[in-house]
């Protein structure tokens, strides 16, 4: 297990940081799996709604509300995935002709802006969830705050991935967890 978390010749700071990234990478792996399940559930709910309306003649009262809630959740998870994979919007046409040092500076500015966006999502997302928990969604009667629950969680991971990129700390990530190789490493 320690071979999975630590690399040889790490100092105490690197070991602490490696433990932190290990924890984040495990949670991120769970979020990736969760995103796949959410997408499947959205497809099932919407398909059931279409089938019910078309062939049975009545609709499922809660289906649109739950599908919309899950899509909002999926959107915030997808933003974090986009930041991690560097799939967020970038206009390379203007940056590529510039000298390499200028490209690096622009990349760091981009990472900083993305990290600030993640921090804003965490702060205001937490407030939004807190303020909307007292009201309820009309069809399910669930607290309205759960619709925005993934906003601060997505913000945490956007901040995390931007921080790693900003300070070139990706080497401490545990990619083998995300690729499913950790299960085989733990079994061996």
């Amino acid at each position: 297990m320690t071979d999975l978390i630590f690399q040889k010749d790490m100092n105490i700071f690197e070991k602490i940081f490696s433990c932190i990234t290990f924890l984040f990478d495990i949670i991120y792996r769970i979020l990736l799996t969760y995103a796949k399940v959410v997408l499947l559930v959205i497809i099932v709910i919407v398909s059931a709604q279409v089938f019910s309306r078309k062939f049975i003649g009545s609709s499922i009262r809660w289906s649109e509300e739950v599908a919309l809630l899950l899509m909002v959740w999926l959107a915030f998870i997808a933003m974090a995935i986009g930041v991690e994979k560097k799939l967020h919007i970038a206009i390379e046409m203007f940056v590529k002709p510039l000298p390499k040092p200028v490209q690096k500076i622009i990349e760091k500015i981009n990472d900083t802006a993305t990290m600030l966006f993640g921090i804003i999502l965490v702060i205001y997302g937490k407030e939004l969830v807190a303020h909307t928990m007292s009201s309820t969604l009309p069809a399910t009667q669930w607290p309205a705050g759960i619709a925005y629950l993934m906003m601060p969680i997505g913000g945490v991971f956007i901040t995390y991935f931007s921080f790693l990129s900003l300070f070139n700390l990706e080497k401490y990530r545990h990619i083998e967890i995300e690729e499913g190789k950790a299960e085989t490493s733990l079994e061996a």
Side-chain angles (χ1 to χ4, degrees):
M1 180 73 169
T2 56
D3 294 341
L4 191 62
I5 301 173
F6 304 123
Q7 298 169 0
K8 292 181 180 180
D9 302 327
M10 281 186 161
N11 63 37
I12 189 70
F13 170 75
E14 290 174 318
K15 286 183 178 182
I16 292 170
F17 197 74
S18 185
C19 285
I20 293 168
T21 57
F22 184 74
L23 178 66
F24 268 92
D25 289 335
I26 286 175
I27 296 169
Y28 180 67
R29 173 72 176 156
I30 293 168
L31 272 178
L32 285 175
T33 304
Y34 174 74
K36 294 173 189 174
V37 170
V38 165
L39 184 59
L40 183 63
V41 169
I42 291 170
I43 292 168
V44 168
I45 289 172
V46 172
S47 298
Q49 169 67 356
V50 169
F51 179 82
S52 178
R53 193 175 332 149
K54 190 93 167 158
F55 298 108
I56 300 174
S58 68
S59 25
I60 304 169
R61 188 173 63 93
W62 51 265
S63 66
E64 289 179 41
E65 189 172 281
V66 172
L68 182 63
L69 175 124
L70 293 174
M71 280 190 244
V72 170
W73 285 6
L74 194 59
F76 286 106
I77 295 170
M79 279 194 285
I81 293 168
V83 171
E84 188 255 346
K85 307 241 183 257
K86 299 198 182 300
L87 297 173
H88 49 82
I89 296 173
I91 303 174
E92 294 180 6
M93 179 174 78
F94 298 115
V95 178
K96 281 199 177 196
L98 298 173
K100 288 285 184 197
V102 175
Q103 288 180 15
K104 287 286 185 190
I105 291 169
I106 291 173
E107 182 181 322
K108 296 304 175 189
I109 291 170
N110 185 24
D111 289 338
T112 303
T114 305
M115 188 168 73
L116 290 174
F117 174 72
I119 292 168
I120 289 169
L121 280 178
V122 171
I123 293 168
Y124 290 106
K126 186 179 68 129
E127 287 181 22
L128 183 62
V129 169
H131 290 321
T132 56
M133 276 300 195
S134 58
S135 59
T136 58
L137 297 171
T140 58
Q141 297 301 308
W142 294 342
I146 65 168
Y148 309 107
L149 204 53
M150 282 298 162
M151 188 175 178
I153 294 170
V156 165
F157 280 94
I158 289 170
T159 304
Y160 167 69
F161 292 128
S162 301
F163 178 82
L164 292 180
S165 181
L166 181 63
F167 296 105
N168 295 322
L169 298 171
E170 288 96 350
K171 65 182 177 183
Y172 295 107
R173 297 255 345 259
H174 304 277
I175 304 298
E176 65 277 357
I177 292 172
E178 294 170 28
E179 296 171 349
K181 294 178 187 169
E183 292 85 14
T184 55
S185 299
L186 290 173
E187 290 171 0

